[in-house]
Amino acid sequence: MKTLNKQQKEIRSAFANFVVGKISEAEARSLGLNINDGKALIPKNIAEEIIGYVEQENILRKYGKVVKVTGNLNYPVLTGDSNIKVDVHSKERDTNAIEVNEIGLTAELLSPVEFDSMSIIKKKFLKLSPVSVSDLIVEVMKKAYLEKEIDYMFNGTNEEALNTGSLFNKAKVFTSAATEPVAIIKEMKNTPSSKVMNRSRWVINKAALKYVEDLILPNGEPVLKTIETTEGGAKYLILGYPADLSDVVKGSTDTGSVFYFGDFSSFVIQENSTGLEVETKYEMAGDYILQNEVGFKLYNLLDGKLVYSEKEPTVFRMEV
C-alpha cells in the first residue's frame, strides 16, 4: 500500500469508524464521506487500492478491455462481421434496440448488474485503532471481491451470479480428432485465424501444466518452456506462445486439464465510473451478530463478457 497523506488517513479512519458503527451517518458526512441509503461510497484512494489489487490478480483485467460508464448504462461492443445481418439479443433486455448498420457491424450489449461480495470480520478485531481497522477491512474486502469477480468472469456458473459471457460459457469449444498429446496441442494452437493468433496466449490450470510439461516435439524441443524472470515465480511458453497459470480456471471436473487459447483483448469489462459502495451487515443469513462477526457487503455495477464474431472466434477452450 502506498504512503498516505494526512487527509487520506483521516478519510480512511472516518470510513472505518462509520462502517463499524463508531460514528453516525451525519458525522461521516461531515468528515467527507458520501452516504446513500445506508451504503457508504468508498473513498477514492481506498477504491483505487481495491481495484488496483483486483487488476493485478485478475488477468482478464490485465489483457482485456475495461470501460468506465456512468450509472447503469448499456455499453455496445462491435464485432467485425461484414455483409451479414444478425439481430442483437441481450438476456437482460426485453427488446433488441440496436440495428446492424449498413457496413455489416453487429453489436453485443454489456449490461451491468449490481455485483456484490461479502467479507466477514470477527468483532474483536474492530477494537483496534481506526487506521488498523481500515487496513483490515480493506484487506478482507479486496480478497473477497477478487474471488467473486474472477470466478464470475472466468466461470460464471454460480446460480447467484450466472454469466453467459464468461470464458467458460462463451469460449469456442475445441475438440481434436487427434489422440497424441503433442498433436492435440498443436492443432488447438493452429485453430484461430492468423489475425487472432498474432495476439494470442494460453491461460491454463495446473492440470494442464502437468499435461504439457513432459511433451517433446519431433525436433527434440519441449512443448513447454520456462522463462527466467527477476520478478519471482515462473513464466511459461507453450509452443512459443506465453501462458498464464491460474487456479481459477475450472473444467467440468476437478481434475480436468483446461486450456484456453486466443486473443483475450476481446474480453470486455464494464464498470461504474462512480466507484464502489459498502454496506455493513450485522444481521443476515448466517446470523453474524450471534457469532460475534460483522459482514461488509461491497457493491459494484459490473459486467464482463467475452465478445467475438461467430465468423472469427477469438478464444478457444479445450478440456482433456
Side-chain angles (χ1 to χ4, degrees), residues 48-66:
E48 288 176 346
E49 182 181 339
I50 293 172
I51 294 301
Y53 173 80
V54 173
E55 287 174 341
Q56 184 178 3
E57 300 295 328
N58 183 354
I59 59 177
L60 291 178
R61 282 182 175 268
K62 180 178 180 181
Y63 302 128
K65 177 184 178 182
V66 179

Side-chain angles (χ1 to χ4, degrees), residues 11 75 101 114 138 156 203:
I11 293 176
Y75 180 83
N101 66 22
E114 190 171 65
V138 171
V203 175

Side-chain angles (χ1 to χ4, degrees), residues 71-312:
N72 189 15
L73 300 176
N74 299 98
Y75 180 83
V77 182
L78 300 180
T79 59
D81 284 343
S82 59
N83 300 320
I84 182 171
K85 182 175 176 62
V86 179
D87 291 328
V88 176
H89 297 282
S90 174
K91 185 177 180 182
E92 296 80 9
R93 294 173 65 92
D94 295 328
T95 60
N96 300 319
I98 294 183
E99 296 181 356
V100 181
N101 66 22
E102 61 185 14
I103 61 172
L105 289 178
T106 64
E108 181 165 338
L109 290 175
L110 292 186
S111 301
V113 295
E114 190 171 65
F115 186 85
D116 63 75
S117 65
M118 176 64 74
S119 314
I120 303 171
I121 298 178
K122 291 289 185 182
K123 282 186 177 180
K124 64 181 180 181
F125 292 120
L126 303 184
K127 297 179 181 179
L128 303 172
S129 70
V131 173
S132 298
V133 169
S134 65
D135 290 345
L136 178 62
I137 291 171
V138 171
E139 192 69 19
V140 297
M141 281 198 306
K142 68 186 184 184
K143 289 182 178 179
Y145 180 81
L146 170 69
E147 182 179 351
K148 191 163 184 180
E149 180 189 278
I150 203 170
D151 182 66
Y152 176 76
M153 293 182 184
F154 268 87
N155 305 308
T157 55
N158 188 310
E159 290 185 1
E160 296 181 356
L162 292 174
N163 182 5
T164 57
S166 69
L167 277 187
F168 181 83
N169 288 323
K170 187 67 182 289
K172 195 78 171 179
V173 175
F174 169 78
T175 303
S176 175
T179 56
E180 199 275 320
V182 172
I184 293 172
I185 300 300
K186 289 177 68 176
E187 185 181 349
M188 184 178 186
K189 183 263 294 182
N190 291 324
T191 297
S193 68
S194 298
K195 183 174 69 174
V196 172
M197 283 183 68
N198 287 336
R199 300 191 296 265
S200 288
R201 63 190 311 111
W202 301 87
V203 175
I204 61 175
N205 65 0
K206 193 172 182 180
L209 181 68
K210 292 180 179 179
Y211 183 87
V212 298
E213 62 185 354
D214 294 325
L215 299 183
I216 302 297
L217 295 169
N219 63 3
E221 291 287 323
V223 170
L224 176 73
K225 293 184 178 180
T226 303
I227 307 171
E228 292 186 8
T229 174
T230 58
E231 302 172 358
K235 301 291 184 182
Y236 303 104
L237 292 175
I238 297 177
L239 296 177
Y241 287 85
D244 287 274
L245 179 65
S246 176
D247 289 333
V248 78
V249 173
K250 298 177 182 177
S252 56
T253 67
D254 293 337
T255 58
S257 301
V258 182
F259 296 82
Y260 287 102
F261 182 71
D263 175 15
F264 290 87
S265 67
S266 56
F267 195 93
V268 185
I269 300 166
Q270 175 185 343
E271 63 184 0
N272 188 5
S273 62
T274 57
L276 310 173
E277 293 181 314
V278 65
E279 183 178 12
T280 306
K281 295 288 186 179
Y282 294 99
E283 296 182 44
M284 284 186 61
D287 217 356
Y288 300 134
I289 196 167
L290 297 182
Q291 301 178 44
N292 289 315
E293 295 174 338
V294 177
F296 300 98
K297 199 166 188 178
L298 187 151
Y299 297 88
N300 190 15
L301 280 175
L302 179 81
D303 195 10
K305 284 182 169 59
L306 180 62
V307 182
Y308 59 79
S309 160
E310 286 297 331
K311 294 185 66 177
E312 188 178 54

